[in-house]
Amino acid sequence: MNLNHQTITNISKLLSNGEITSVELTEACLNQIESFDNSINAFISVYSDMAIQQAYTADKAWLNWRKGNTKIKPSMINGVPIAIKDVLCMSDTITSAGSKMLQNFVSHYDATAVAHLRNAGAVLIGKTNTDEFAMGSSTETSIFGPTHNPWNIEHVPGGSSGGSAASVSSQMVYGALGTDTGGSVRQPAAMCGVVGFKPTYGGVSRSGLIAFGSSFDQIGTITKTVEDSAALHQAICGHDPHDLTSYVHKNASYFTNLSDCNNLNGITIGVDETQFNQNIQPEVKLNIMNVLETIKNLGANIIPIHLPHNQYALESYYLIANAEASANLARYDGIRYGFRSNDTTLMDTYINTRSNGLGKEVKRRIMLGTYALSTGYYDDYYLNAQKIRSLISEDFSEAFSKVDLIVGPVTPTTAFKIGAKINNPLQMYLSDVFTLSANLAGLPGISIPCGFDKIGLPIGVQMLGPKFSDQKLFNVAHIYQQTLNWRQFHPSLENKK
Ligand code: GLN
């Protein structure tokens, strides 16, 4: 059995009956990282010794339970190696956000989502690469260099959670946490051929997450299967007094409650056909059409829907998210956190710390955001963008009064070449055109692999649901995924050492 190729669902069974140990799994993951991360660059830091220690503890917990010393069964992720995007604080380790500003910043506490994983016994193997402060769609702006797509290392893995997506896709870990402000979990998952889930806004606590656009940011999961995604989400979700936008889940057993049904009878799926009029790669369109055909054959009813204000989602998102970013990033002033320039006066310290500690894209966002919030421009830009945001939410509510879920593409194209869009921010922003509106409206969304383009790069399909429909989304995505033999496809890494 190739340990690296297993899923969380598989290995949790093998761990529980003692067929494998967490130490073996962790060693297999560390070996995979050692062999291939030189060419993929998925990780910013790897904590081998700590991971092995955690694996020993997890093995003891399984053993105790098997011996009957305790009646409480360990969590299904007890002993499972997981990677964390490097914008989430992990106690006593560096949390860099891919930025020179925080390159040496040591977190003093765990983000709530990380603490949940730790308490569930997960092996926290390392921190993954990200666009600087999670601003980007390609994982190229990190101070630690770009991450490469495991299917073709000349291409980007998507972003900003490209390190997390690449680490799962290249079988270095069984699951990873990412963050999704405008698509950064779903888009890299699609480009790397893995499953990316963004919960309803407020589903997972943002405490300990380095803030970008607080009214959008959500922590999501990246895994090989929908089942695994439900398992990981189940472990990290829930209300947290440290984040008052987090909500109480009526039933958080997303994995346990996964439907065992094998059809979609009674489910109505909406399709916004205007999405196919945009600049979309023909193979992406073709594959989404095939998914719709499969879903129809599974018994779902497919009807057209209209989301008239979606055409303004990109403008609205980039105004509001950047406005929030400009406020959130004001704290990096050289006084409180991280990098500080070598100056003697206060003003020079502020100016040079921010000029030298932050990268080009981050500074662009701060400037755009500050401009949109400034007197005289606030009404024209920020306020209008907020009005559009409300209209987009209303369009979705109207659509979801008729359909259970909406299905469409995740990205207009498959993974592009490294360097292709880095000097053209507008082109880069357009790669999120199908994912942003879910964040504007706070909806849950999932990206599931559904095919390949002609050069062998993965394609993803996106399913969106109304707020709090996370369980239904998992169920439908799971039923769809079982029709695929997707798990037999892995990027071949042997020639990429
Ligand atoms: N690509 C989008 C942006 O750059 C989304 C980023 C994200 O979801 N973190 O803003």
Side-chain angles (χ1 to χ4, degrees):
M1 174 173 52
N2 182 324
L3 287 184
N4 296 100
H5 287 192
Q6 304 304 309
T7 63
I8 297 178
T9 313
N10 283 350
I11 57 177
S12 87
K13 285 188 199 121
L14 301 172
L15 281 168
S16 74
N17 61 25
E19 274 178 68
I20 50 169
T21 65
S22 172
V23 171
E24 287 167 340
L25 289 174
T26 305
E27 279 170 352
C29 289
L30 290 170
N31 284 340
Q32 188 81 349
I33 295 171
E34 171 83 31
S35 309
F36 302 109
D37 208 37
N38 267 345
S39 40
I40 304 292
N41 198 25
F43 283 88
I44 289 177
S45 36
V46 178
Y47 296 109
S48 319
D49 295 346
M50 240 156 59
I52 295 286
Q53 275 311 319
Q54 291 169 349
Y56 272 116
T57 311
D59 282 335
K60 257 191 236 148
W62 281 119
L63 192 67
N64 264 332
W65 175 73
R66 274 199 304 278
K67 282 187 171 162
N69 296 346
T70 169
K71 292 227 163 1
I72 304 168
K73 188 174 180 184
S75 144
M76 74 178 280
I77 57 166
N78 180 63
V80 178
I82 305 285
I84 312 285
K85 182 177 180 181
D86 207 15
V87 290
L88 286 157
C89 289
M90 194 164 116
S91 189
D92 300 325
T93 61
I94 287 178
T95 300
S96 73
S99 180
K100 178 174 174 188
M101 186 61 89
L102 294 178
Q103 207 171 358
N104 299 312
F105 167 72
V106 177
S107 338
H108 299 298
Y109 62 94
D110 278 341
T112 301
V114 173
H116 281 314
L117 291 181
R118 200 189 287 280
N119 294 338
V123 173
L124 306 173
I125 212 163
K127 306 293 284 292
T128 54
N129 205 4
T130 167
D131 279 300
E132 187 176 3
F133 285 100
M135 296 170 183
S137 314
S138 63
T139 319
E140 290 173 286
T141 67
S142 164
I143 184 97
F144 302 97
T147 296
H148 299 255
N149 192 311
W151 295 89
N152 183 330
I153 58 171
E154 287 174 13
H155 290 245
V156 302
S160 60
S161 313
S164 287
S167 71
V168 176
S169 165
S170 53
Q171 325 283 319
M172 294 169 180
V173 281
Y174 302 96
L177 299 190
T179 58
D180 194 312
T181 304
S184 280
V185 162
R186 290 160 288 155
Q187 188 256 27
M191 290 188 169
C192 290
V194 288
V195 175
F197 172 70
K198 173 217 173 279
T200 299
Y201 181 77
V204 178
S205 166
R206 288 176 292 111
S207 175
L209 159 65
I210 292 180
F212 164 10
S214 307
S215 73
F216 302 87
D217 296 342
Q218 264 303 283
I219 299 170
T221 58
I222 297 183
T223 54
K224 299 173 190 174
T225 65
V226 176
E227 280 179 305
D228 285 6
S229 167
L232 208 49
H233 179 58
Q234 173 168 324
I236 62 169
C237 73
H239 173 68
D240 173 14
H242 297 301
D243 172 7
L244 295 178
T245 63
S246 66
Y247 68 84
V248 178
H249 294 242
K250 284 212 190 88
N251 191 342
S253 304
Y254 295 100
F255 175 81
T256 326
N257 291 340
L258 264 184
S259 160
D260 52 13
C261 185
N262 57 7
N263 64 64
L264 293 175
N265 295 340
I267 297 285
T268 305
I269 299 288
V271 179
D272 172 13
E273 275 158 12
T274 60
Q275 291 195 323
F276 298 117
N277 305 337
Q278 313 206 15
N279 262 342
I280 181 169
Q281 189 176 326
E283 295 139 300
V284 173
K285 179 173 172 182
L286 184 75
N287 271 276
I288 303 301
M289 293 301 181
N290 289 342
V291 175
L292 291 170
E293 195 57 34
T294 307
I295 289 180
K296 198 163 137 201
N297 292 337
L298 285 166
N301 184 20
I302 299 188
I303 63 169
I305 51 155
H306 188 42
L307 301 165
H309 298 93
N310 242 358
Q311 57 181 312
Y312 309 114
L314 196 95
E315 290 85 343
S316 166
Y317 168 84
Y318 276 98
L319 280 166
I320 305 170
N322 290 346
E324 293 183 12
S326 73
N328 276 327
L329 272 65
R331 71 191 73 178
Y332 305 110
D333 55 6
I335 310 296
R336 286 169 284 193
Y337 301 88
F339 174 76
R340 177 188 296 181
S341 70
N342 255 335
D343 287 286
T344 45
T345 71
L346 183 63
M347 221 42 204
D348 286 348
T349 305
Y350 283 155
I351 293 171
N352 291 325
T353 295
R354 288 171 71 78
S355 302
N356 301 327
L358 298 171
K360 201 166 146 193
E361 181 59 26
V362 174
K363 283 188 277 197
R364 181 180 357 256
R365 307 254 180 153
I366 293 173
M367 284 191 281
L368 285 170
T370 312
Y371 185 80
L373 287 175
S374 54
T375 320
Y377 297 106
Y378 178 93
D379 288 354
D380 280 352
Y381 293 109
Y382 184 74
L383 203 64
N384 276 330
Q386 289 287 18
K387 287 180 187 163
I388 296 285
R389 184 178 195 177
S390 301
L391 291 170
I392 288 172
S393 291
E394 284 168 22
D395 289 348
F396 274 117
S397 300
E398 167 71 23
F400 286 127
S401 67
K402 302 192 193 85
V403 302
D404 295 284
L405 303 179
I406 296 172
V407 172
V410 186
T411 52
T413 67
T414 51
F416 42 91
K417 281 213 164 151
I418 292 181
K421 299 190 181 178
I422 197 72
N423 294 320
N424 189 340
L426 219 64
Q427 275 305 315
M428 188 70 92
Y429 297 172
L430 277 166
S431 62
D432 302 305
V433 65
F434 299 133
T435 48
L436 301 164
S437 48
N439 302 73
L440 283 161
L443 310 177
I446 192 163
S447 144
I448 313 141
C450 67
F452 293 98
D453 69 5
K454 57 176 180 292
I455 60 163
L457 290 166
I459 297 171
V461 59
Q462 172 168 248
M463 297 185 181
L464 299 178
K467 278 186 186 161
F468 311 117
S469 67
D470 308 53
Q471 184 73 55
K472 187 185 275 181
L473 208 52
F474 281 133
N475 287 347
V476 172
H478 177 52
I479 293 169
Y480 165 69
Q481 197 178 42
Q482 282 167 291
T483 65
L484 308 173
N485 52 357
W486 183 262
R487 293 297 319 127
Q488 77 187 40
F489 301 113
H490 302 291
S492 123
L493 296 167
E494 278 315 317
N495 53 354
K496 294 176 187 144
K497 272 196 192 180

